[in-house]
Every structure is written in structure tokens, then in C-alpha cells.
Amino acid sequence: MSDETATIESPTREIDKVVIRLAGDSGDGMQLAGARFTDASALFGNDLATLPNFPAEIRAPAGTLPGVSSFQVQIADFDILTAGDEPDCLVAMNPAALRANIGDLRPGGTLIVNEDAFDERNLAKAGYDSNPLEDGSLQGYRVIRVPMERLTKEAVKDTGVSGRDVLRSKNFFALGLLAWLFHRPEAPVIEWVEKRFADKPEIKEANIRAFRAGFTYGQATEAIKVTYVVPPATLPPGTYTNVTGNTALAWGLIAAAQCAKLPLFYGSYPITPASDILHELSRHKNFGVRTFQAEDEIAAVGAAIGAAFGGSLAVTGTSGPGLALKSEAISLAVMTELPLVVVDVQRAGPSTGMPTKTEQADLLFAMFGRHGEAPLPVLAVASPSDAFGMAIEAARIALRYMTPVLLLSDNYIANGSEPWRLPKVEELPDISVPFASKPNSPDGRFLPYLRDLHTFARPWAVPGTPGLEHRIGGLEKEAVTGNVSYDPANHQLMVDTRAWKIRNIANDIPPVEVEGDEDAELLVLGWGSTLGSIRAAVRRVRSDGEKVATAHLRHLNPFPANLEDLLERYPRVLIPELNTGQLRWLIQAEFLKRCDGLNKVTGQPFRVAEVEEKIREILKEAR
Amino acid sequence: MTYTRADFQTDQEVRWCPGCGDYTILASVQTFMAEMGLPKEKIVFISGIGCSSRFPYYMNTYGMHTIHGRAPAIASGLAASRPDLSVWVVTGDGDALSIGGNHLIHALRRNFNIKILLFNNQIYGLTKGQYSPTSELGKRTKSTPFGSIDYPFNPISLALGSEATFVARTVDMDRTHTQQMLEAAYRHRGAAFIEIYQNCNVFNDKAFIQITGKEERLHNRIDLREGEPIVFDGGAKAVVFRDGRCEVVETSSVDPKEILVHDPTREDPTIAFALSRLSHGPFGPTPLGIFRKVIRPTYEEQINRQLLEAQSRFGPGDLDKLIKSHGTWQVSG
């Protein structure tokens, strides 16, 4: 609530943005309540960005710190870029949720607590010696104590739910209270509950009643004197939806298949945080999508390679540990020059690491994680809605250049959401490539490695085509014929050709665009999910009259052709990344340009303030 | 379509060791393919790594020589997306049973319409002579100078345990029998697994002498023929099923009605499994032929059915509808 100075007489204050965080046990339904609040806000017309944060355990021990799950959303009446650095309003469902999140709440912020959960047992589990609701430690906040469990029980009695199910509706009570406090429309929530629980009438009824009870409690209580409204944002005209990165990526793959006029094949093995792509795609069989939940990561990529040989738009999706397992097979796709999209939704590593936390530490693995000289294009998604277009772009490059393509996303993009101005379907690009249909040699033979003179791609001849029977494989290929070859000069030629084919793609990708001042001292260069934090930080610094520029890379191999000139134009370059400096390493190696890094590996995205501070520090040094 | 064996030969020089059993198998497969008359552009051979996995280079069909152990996975993706093709996997005992064991069992249980030819020579040939997952206990090889302590797989038992719908065994030297097994596998709708005993004359010569030797085979080769009592050794010996297991008995010692009549179409795999346990390697009486042949819907049929059902329920995919399916709002200019 950035506008605390508005008149107190008014029962409703208009504010330009607010950051809300819901926190509770991982079984408390905080993700669900957050998603409903987000959707209601999206339909209301706000700009928004979300940051879910949950433990890897499905049900960590109740009431403990490791079991805390939270969902943060920022809603605004203007174009925002992140889910916000610190919440203005925190809902804490139990002492552990309070303890884990109170440090982030803005001084003077609103704290809504479920006071029923603050008994001795829960306080002890959270490690509190005394009750923070009583001991004065929350004095710096506006604390609203709500007996949520008691009121939820009251609301859902006679609905038929019993036992433990009674209290499961308390997330809807909290949601109802928030809906009242922030003037959210009730209809989208009610409609969603009616649809979602259509076959469980008692639960449907209980959730609706709890939601309404929360809303009514807000109206009746004296504890809350002011409500807030964030007016709709003035976004560019169009039709909008709210979308998560994994959903946008799945839809992008479906769109890519349509744009390529090919059936989509998706081979995958369940892994956090990529599984939702498999779930989403498996629902859309009427698009001709074939999903294959393989026995392991290797089989998933193997099956995709088989489907690529057969003429599908073949995709495999995973996260870091799975990408490691797929490495050998991706090299096979490099050697056989088959089109394949490999999606890596990055998470904090190494090894199992922190599977539900975000990180950008697979970049160098994506670049180099193969044996032999095995270059391939690497692309990165910059935000949840960006995943749609980048899926199409990855498919375009894979098909046009007959190569595997690595598309990087990450946990923050995958589970975060934002409004997406929908593209016009009929304006999506045509990325289709023709299959080879007849022999390409004057003597009537088919030469599987006779390349296109512009793209260096080899022809794609799919089984079932008479006269084009041929064999491909992992052994080195003789140029043109594709026969097995151990000839030294041929190997040199083929390694060079495969490398050149990838480098040449630089001429077929959009130049990287700069936002900000052409004549600035500093360029802030980013990639992936840091887009929002970087842009917001740069805008803040520029609004103070400082000169700074920013550019965001979606193509990481090859780099856009104009990147070198761009780097030369700015004396200082700052590269913020959620790793220990992987893009910086690449840029410095490729362009011999010393860059500054801002690096963080906490499993959390950058706060805007962190990036802002670093930019100011460098500008100060430069003066 | 009329073909001759030559239509399935490529211009590539075949590079197996002289005398290798792979030559015989290649000839059997090429002859069989010519006789079947299936358009060769519809045929795909996929292999992993190992001596046997060079096979696709020598078949004038579509083919892919892939990576170690993964051929069944790659074939699965091809079959799932192209049910119109005839997909064949060529693999060996190291490729299929060691590094690729996981893919083999899952391809079989899913019942893709793929034909898996496992050339079992009980040795690693291409890496020059280490023991394999089918090498017998105590075998002395380069990597087991004191004898192997790895208990070997019985590939037929493994395939049956993997819910395979078609399981057979043949031997390289007997081209007629090999072709019969190939044809039965081809006609089977679903995953077919054929273990082919294949002699490696360099690193494991005469491993199958009990089945192939002129004298020895008379006593040890048990031919499984559908609908016929299982007898061998010129009729002197028979197989009975007693107390949950198969046993070899003197034919004269049992009531002829007790002799097991071979029926690979039994839904329950118990007896097929019991038959597979008659030998744990080709060292004594060993059955050849079809152990199991049952009908179960293929993966491809089911995936296609789901696609068709989805299309008839929801209509053909409409991308514009899809991206608007989570609710939309308008911002006007």
C-alpha cells in the first residue's frame, strides 16, 4: 500500500499497487488461494506478477518452518515487472508461517493472522518462546487478529463436511477477507469453486460459505477500518489472460506444431518444476498431441529423437538433473542432425539441490554439457508469457536448421504468472519446412547429408517416403553421403560444418534491443527470469535522472549479431544472474570484455532493490 | 511388391569378423524381408551399440544406429508417432540387458508394435571380450580373470516377466527356423521379443554347440511347436509340467497324456515361464520356438484411440480457444 497518506476519513483508499503474501502450512491451500486472488485481480484488469514459494515435500510436518508454503502477488494499476520486493500485507495462517515471513513484511504493513493457530503447541513447533501476538514484538505492524478456524467451522456447519475437512476451507475464509479488503470481485472465485468441486457438492458449498464468511467478517469487523482498491492498469489494448510460464510454454509448443504443420510429440519423465508442461500437454490430445511419460529421462529424450526421425515436432522437457541424463542422447541428435527441442526448467542445484526453488545455473551446462564438439542453439525464456513465443522460436530454429535446441526456463517463470496480451493466432509465423520427397542427387540417389546452401541444414527425409531409404547414426558421417567415415579430413570438415551451421543462426535471429539511454555509462545485461527485476531497477534509477541502459538476451547461442557492438558502446557492463556468473563468463570469453556481476543463489529471484543498489554503486564508481 | 534379398542389401561393406553369426542372421532377415513383400520404405531398423547394432547400415531400409542401450526407447517414440511403420530393433546381450535393461522391459510391457531381435552371444564383442549379463558363472574373460561372479539373466524369463506378449528363441545357424520366428513376430500385433543365439567365433566360439552341433543338438534342442506334445531327442525325452515347474523326463516313463502340449497362447504366463527355466543358458536341453504369443492392445492403438476420442469429444484443436480458456479480459485503447 504505497499510498498510506490518503485521507483516513474515506473508507476506501485508492492505491496504485499492493504486494500481498499468503503464508501457511503446505497443506493449507495457500497456492490455491493465491492463484484465485490472482485470477480475480487479472479479470479486474490489474497488472500483476506472482511468486509462489513452496517446500519440496508434499506435506512437510504441519506447523513447522520447513512446511511453510507461501504465495506472493503484486497487483498494480500500471505496468509492473515483478512480484514485489516486500509484502505490504501478509496473511499468516500459523506461527511458523508468521515466523518464516514476518521479516519480509514492510514496516507498518498489514498483518492478518489466524489467531486460532497460535496455541502453545504451534508456537513451540515454530520455535517461539512467547506468543508474538501478545509480547509486543509485532508493534511495528498493523495487526489484524482473526479467529479464522472458529469462524470457518461456524460457516461450514450443516454443509455435510466433517472431521478434518472442516478446517480445509479456511484458505477460502482468508481469501474472502482479502477479497473484501482489496475490493476484488467475488464472482470469479465462486465460479471457479463451482466448476472445480462440481462433483463434490459438500466441499463446494463449504468453500463458498467460508469465502463469503471471510468477506462478511471484513464488513462486520471493527478491526479493519479502511479498504483498498487498486484500479485497473492501463495496459496496451488487447485481450488478456493470466498465465504461468509452464502453461504458456505448453501452449507455445502446441502453437509451434500448428505453425510447423506437424504433429507434436512430447517425451518426458516427471520432474519438478517441469512436470506441469507434461500435464498440460497431455490434456490436449484433440490437437493431435502425443505425450509419452517415459521410464526415465534418457528414454524421454530417446523417444523424442525417434519421433523426430519419424517427422514429428519432437520435444522433451526436464530440469537440471534430467538434462544431465539426456546429455548423451542430445549429442546423438547433434550428430544425426535431427530437429529436437529440449526444455530445461531450471531449479537450484547441483544434484537434487532445492527442487522447488529457482536458479539460472544450467546455462553453461546447456552450452557445453555434451561430449565431443557438439554445439547447439541455446534460448532462454524471459517471463511467464514470453514462454509462448520462445517455444515457437525454439521450434523454428530446430526445424529450419535441423538441430537440437535447448530452451531454458526456470522455476520462477514456470510457476509465476503475469497478464499476457494474447497474440492473434492467424498472425503467428509459418515455421514449416518441407520434408524431402525425392532423390537429391543427379544419379537418383538420396544423399542425407547434402546440405542447404543457406542454412547448412541437411534434408529431412522421413520413413515412409519411397526411394529415400537411408541410415543415420552416431558414428561420424561422411559429408554429403552420410556414410560412416573415419577419414581424418572428413571429421575435421564435419566438426567445422556443424559448428558453422550453429554460428550462422546469428544472422537469422532478432538483434538484441536496448531500453534506456544510448549514451549511458552502464549497460545492464540480463537473460531469463531476471528481466522483471532488472527492468524495474533500471526504471527506478532512470526516474531519478541517472543514465543507464539495459538489454535482455533471449538467444544465448549464438548471441545476436549486434551484441558485440552493443558491448563496445558502453564502458561498463553489469550482468545480474541467479548463478555465480555464467553469462558473464560467456560474454567475457567471447568478447574479451570485462563485466561486473551481480550474483545470487538463494533460490529466490532478485529483489528490485538489490539490482538497483548495484546499479547505483557502479554509477557512483564511474563518476 | 516383389523383392529379392538384393533389394535389402546396401552398398556398405559389411564389417563383422569373418565367420560371425551376424552374417547368417543378416541373410535370414534380408531373405525374410524380401519374402514378406512389405514396402521397404515402411521398414525401419533401429539399433544401439555393439557388434549387432551395425545391422541397420546393412539393411536398405530406413534405419538409425543410435546409442548404447537406448534403441528400444528411440523405437518407442518412432512407433508411438508413426504407427504406419514396421519398426525393428536390433540389439545384443550387453546393449539390451545391461546398459539398456530398463528400456527393454518398458518397451515390452507397453506393447509397442516393435520387433526386438536380441543377438545373444554371451560376450562383449565390440569392446573385445568382457563378460556380458548372459555369460555363465565362472566364465573367464579379460575382465574376469578369476571367473565371473555375476549371476546371468535368462533373457526369455526376463521378457516374460516384463509382460511381453510375444517371446521366442531361435539360433543363427538355423536360417529356416530364424525366418519362421521372424515371420511369427512380424505377424504378431504388439511387441515381439526374439532371442537369437549368435556365435561369436572370436571371443566366445562354440558357446551354442549344444544346440548347433550335429550330434549335440539331437539331444538338446527342444523344438516348441504349437499344439504338439513337447518331445525331443528323437522322441526319447519329453517335457512335463509338475508341481509348478517343467521337467525333462524319459518319454517311456510317463503316461503320454502327461506330456505337456505346447500352447503359447495361454493368457497365464506360468507355463511359458516354467519352460524358460528348463535351461539357464544353452548348456543342456534348451527350448527353441515361441514361448508366448498373446493378444493385448498395442500402445499405438491406444494412443490413437485417445486422440480420436478427444477429437470427437472436444472437436479438432482450436488454438485461439485454448489460449483463451483460462478466462480473459479486454483492455481497450
Side-chain angles (χ1 to χ4, degrees):
Chain A
M1 284 157 269
S2 60
D3 190 4
E4 276 292 325
T5 55
T7 59
I8 355 180
E9 290 81 18
S10 161
T12 298
R13 273 189 215 164
E14 193 171 296
I15 52 178
D16 59 351
K17 64 177 165 62
V18 65
V19 178
I20 298 162
R21 186 185 295 177
L22 291 128
D25 253 338
S26 56
D28 278 346
M30 294 297 98
Q31 303 300 324
L32 188 152
R36 293 305 101 224
F37 187 88
T38 303
D39 269 12
S41 299
L43 294 174
F44 185 70
N46 293 126
D47 195 11
L48 59 87
T50 68
L51 171 62
N53 190 4
F54 43 85
E57 297 80 8
I58 302 302
R59 293 277 188 277
T64 63
L65 288 171
V68 173
S69 166
S70 72
F71 186 100
Q72 181 168 315
V73 56
Q74 173 162 225
I75 56 175
D77 71 354
F78 62 99
D79 173 20
I80 49 155
L81 299 159
T82 72
D85 285 1
E86 45 186 26
D88 302 298
C89 174
L90 171 67
V91 178
M93 301 302 280
N94 64 17
L98 178 68
R99 183 153 192 183
N101 291 282
I102 189 69
D104 294 338
L105 184 61
R106 178 177 64 74
T110 301
L111 170 67
I112 299 173
V113 288
N114 167 27
E115 66 175 7
D116 292 337
F118 282 69
D119 58 19
E120 264 181 43
R121 198 158 154 264
N122 283 334
L123 289 165
K125 275 200 236 173
Y128 278 119
D129 294 330
S130 63
N131 188 343
L133 302 182
E134 319 279 350
D135 66 10
S137 61
L138 300 174
Q139 261 179 2
Y141 308 104
R142 190 161 71 113
V143 182
I144 301 169
R145 297 172 57 156
V146 185
M148 282 193 210
E149 294 181 6
R150 188 167 60 76
L151 294 171
T152 302
K153 269 187 210 162
E154 187 69 24
V156 308
K157 87 177 168 205
D158 309 329
T159 54
V161 296
S162 57
R164 297 171 65 179
D165 282 346
V166 171
L167 285 182
R168 294 190 71 170
S169 293
K170 67 177 183 286
N171 58 338
F172 277 93
F173 183 94
L175 183 59
L177 182 55
L178 286 178
W180 175 77
L181 185 57
F182 294 101
H183 290 256
R184 300 292 92 184
E186 290 171 84
V189 176
I190 306 274
E191 281 163 22
W192 184 89
V193 171
E194 282 177 342
K195 214 168 134 189
R196 174 72 177 74
F197 298 104
D199 54 350
K200 290 174 186 149
E202 319 84 58
I203 294 177
K204 177 182 75 179
E205 187 60 25
N207 284 339
I208 291 173
R209 285 209 206 168
F211 178 72
R212 292 221 161 103
F215 199 93
T216 315
Y217 175 81
Q219 290 172 319
T221 186
E222 302 226 329
I224 307 173
K225 297 187 179 67
V226 185
T227 61
Y228 300 89
V229 65
V230 179
T234 46
L235 298 169
T239 304
Y240 284 76
T241 192
N242 182 46
V243 75
T244 66
N246 270 346
T247 304
L249 207 151
W251 291 354
L253 293 174
I254 292 173
Q258 290 206 345
C259 296
K261 304 180 179 73
L262 293 174
L264 178 62
F265 181 92
Y266 187 74
S268 193
Y269 184 77
I271 185 167
T272 302
S275 302
D276 280 340
I277 301 171
L278 173 63
H279 304 160
E280 182 64 22
L281 288 173
S282 65
R283 297 174 58 221
H284 300 298
K285 294 202 161 50
N286 58 326
F287 284 83
V289 178
R290 288 164 198 263
T291 54
F292 177 58
Q293 182 179 313
E295 58 271 22
D296 60 30
E297 295 281 359
I298 300 171
V301 63
I305 289 170
F309 186 54
S312 288
L313 172 58
V315 184
T316 185
T318 188
S319 187
L323 185 63
L325 285 164
K326 293 179 197 294
S327 172
E328 186 193 14
I330 296 171
S331 295
L332 174 69
V334 169
M335 189 59 131
T336 53
E337 303 192 40
L338 285 169
L340 173 72
V341 176
V342 180
V343 178
D344 173 13
V345 185
Q346 301 164 93
R347 65 190 213 188
S351 190
T352 311
M354 301 196 289
T356 58
K357 309 298 175 195
T358 205
E359 205 161 274
Q360 297 181 295
D362 292 350
L363 174 58
L364 292 182
F365 188 70
M367 282 290 297
F368 303 118
R370 285 166 297 287
H371 56 283
E373 295 286 354
L376 49 68
V378 179
L379 278 58
V381 175
S383 75
S385 68
D386 188 49
F388 183 84
M390 288 309 288
I392 298 174
E393 174 67 352
R396 179 188 75 87
I397 292 175
L399 296 168
R400 185 164 155 81
Y401 295 91
M402 291 291 282
T403 177
V405 172
L406 247 157
L407 178 60
L408 295 170
S409 174
D410 69 31
N411 183 64
Y412 180 38
I413 291 169
N415 289 307
S417 68
E418 65 179 358
W420 174 34
R421 186 158 70 109
L422 296 176
K424 293 208 164 40
V425 165
E426 61 279 7
E427 289 171 10
L428 293 175
D430 181 352
I431 60 168
S432 60
V433 294
F435 292 138
S437 58
K438 50 183 192 298
N440 54 357
S441 154
D443 65 3
R445 282 192 303 160
F446 175 63
L447 302 169
Y449 278 74
L450 182 64
R451 294 172 189 280
D452 180 277
L453 289 177
H454 299 289
T455 62
F456 281 50
R458 70 175 194 87
W460 193 8
V462 302
T465 317
L468 304 192
E469 294 84 7
H470 66 285
R471 277 66 55 195
I472 57 174
L475 286 167
E476 182 59 287
K477 300 283 161 286
E478 184 179 68
V480 182
T481 66
N483 290 331
V484 174
S485 170
Y486 286 86
D487 180 72
N490 178 74
H491 181 54
Q492 180 82 50
L493 173 69
M494 291 300 275
V495 168
D496 291 345
T497 305
R498 286 187 288 263
W500 174 246
K501 180 173 87 164
I502 303 306
R503 275 205 303 278
N504 181 45
I505 297 171
N507 299 313
D508 187 27
I509 56 178
V512 60
E513 287 173 21
V514 181
E515 183 180 298
D517 304 292
E518 291 272 320
D519 57 342
E521 186 73 18
L522 173 67
L523 174 74
V524 186
L525 183 66
W527 70 279
S529 68
T530 53
L531 174 75
S533 314
I534 294 174
R535 286 274 146 103
V538 166
R539 282 180 199 177
R540 275 193 205 168
V541 175
R542 291 187 72 221
S543 71
D544 291 346
E546 300 271 14
K547 283 189 174 172
V548 59
T550 184
H552 211 72
L553 292 169
R554 285 177 171 79
H555 295 85
L556 294 151
N557 191 42
F559 287 126
N562 68 331
L563 183 61
E564 186 160 20
D565 287 347
L566 197 66
L567 291 167
E568 273 177 23
R569 200 186 307 157
Y570 297 92
R572 300 283 294 262
V573 175
L574 169 66
I575 304 180
E577 301 175 83
L578 300 174
N579 58 40
T580 58
Q582 300 195 6
L583 177 64
R584 184 158 45 102
W585 195 93
L586 284 176
I587 295 278
Q588 293 187 156
E590 175 98 9
F591 302 108
L592 300 177
K593 165 96 180 180
R594 213 192 75 77
C595 304
D596 289 293
L598 173 63
N599 301 95
K600 162 167 144 173
V601 280
T602 61
Q604 296 301 321
F606 279 122
R607 293 150 60 101
V608 178
E610 290 170 328
V611 183
E612 183 186 350
E613 193 184 334
K614 184 74 186 177
I615 293 172
R616 290 190 193 278
E617 185 189 308
I618 293 177
L619 290 178
K620 212 166 150 190
E621 276 173 26
R623 266 197 285 273
Chain B
M1 195 66 70
T2 47
Y3 289 122
T4 65
R5 190 186 150 196
D7 289 312
F8 287 92
Q9 294 170 329
T10 66
D11 59 0
Q12 299 297 293
E13 186 194 343
V14 183
R15 290 192 188 166
W16 287 309
C17 305
C20 177
D22 288 352
Y23 283 97
T24 327
I25 303 172
L26 177 64
S28 296
V29 172
Q30 287 171 334
T31 307
F32 157 74
M33 288 285 167
E35 283 171 7
M36 285 313 299
L38 182 73
K40 63 181 183 177
E41 70 269 15
K42 292 280 193 190
I43 301 166
V44 186
F45 275 84
I46 294 183
S47 64
I49 293 293
C51 294
S52 60
S53 289
R54 296 296 178 97
F55 203 91
Y57 291 121
Y58 311 135
M59 287 297 297
N60 191 13
T61 61
Y62 283 92
M64 189 167 8
H65 176 217
T66 72
I67 44 178
H68 207 8
R70 317 305 171 197
I74 289 159
S76 295
L78 180 61
S81 58
R82 291 291 305 275
D84 57 312
L85 300 174
S86 178
V87 180
W88 296 71
V89 169
V90 175
T91 183
D93 38 318
D95 194 53
L97 300 175
S98 193
I99 191 168
N102 198 31
H103 308 305
L104 176 73
I105 59 177
H106 289 280
L108 291 175
R109 88 175 156 84
R110 290 190 179 110
N111 203 31
F112 281 105
N113 189 26
I114 60 179
K115 315 303 164 192
I116 300 173
L117 312 181
L118 190 158
F119 297 8
N120 181 7
N121 57 15
Q122 302 188 332
I123 198 79
Y124 280 78
L126 199 63
T127 51
K128 299 194 166 73
Q130 300 83 5
Y131 72 105
S132 91
T134 54
S135 295
E136 62 275 20
L137 272 179
K139 191 175 191 73
R140 286 175 196 276
T141 70
K142 277 187 186 153
S143 57
T144 52
F146 297 99
S148 166
I149 54 172
D150 275 29
Y151 194 77
F153 269 132
N154 177 329
I156 300 290
S157 300
L158 181 77
L160 290 166
S162 307
E163 307 290 348
T165 55
F166 181 101
V167 180
R169 178 189 282 142
T170 187
V171 58
D172 55 2
M173 298 275 282
D174 189 342
R175 290 186 51 185
T176 309
H177 190 264
T178 301
Q179 286 176 47
Q180 285 169 359
M181 294 303 107
L182 291 170
E183 181 171 351
Y186 172 71
R187 296 198 181 286
H188 174 73
R189 266 173 24 128
F193 174 86
I194 307 180
E195 179 190 16
I196 306 176
Y197 283 155
Q198 173 247 321
N199 193 45
C200 174
N201 57 320
V202 174
F203 294 109
N204 200 19
D205 197 21
K206 299 192 169 58
F208 306 101
I209 194 75
Q210 296 299 327
I211 313 299
T212 55
K214 215 169 185 179
E215 191 56 33
E216 296 88 337
R217 72 184 180 219
L218 280 177
H219 306 300
N220 291 321
R221 177 170 161 160
I222 308 175
D223 273 296
L224 301 175
R225 295 189 188 88
E226 190 170 346
E228 291 182 20
I230 305 173
V231 291
F232 65 103
D233 201 0
K237 292 197 175 124
V239 174
V240 297
F241 183 72
R242 276 181 193 157
D243 303 328
R245 54 190 290 269
C246 282
E247 269 176 58
V248 170
V249 295
E250 299 290 331
T251 310
S252 56
S253 72
V254 292
D255 180 343
K257 277 187 281 189
E258 210 196 332
I259 298 172
L260 183 62
V261 175
H262 186 53
D263 180 6
T265 66
R266 286 186 188 97
E267 207 46 55
D268 187 303
T270 307
I271 291 176
F273 189 82
L275 276 171
S276 78
R277 308 308 286 179
L278 276 176
S279 66
H280 204 80
F283 312 115
T286 300
L288 298 186
I290 301 168
F291 288 74
R292 178 169 164 85
K293 185 180 72 178
V294 297
I295 298 299
R296 199 167 74 219
T298 66
Y299 192 95
E300 298 91 314
E301 285 163 6
Q302 296 179 87
I303 203 172
N304 274 355
R305 184 172 48 76
Q306 286 194 341
L307 293 184
L308 289 172
E309 275 175 13
Q311 274 164 9
S312 69
R313 261 177 74 192
F314 307 113
D318 180 337
L319 190 58
D320 190 55
K321 247 170 133 174
L322 175 67
I323 61 178
K324 290 176 179 162
S325 61
H326 287 189
T328 62
W329 70 96
Q330 296 292 328
V331 173
S332 45

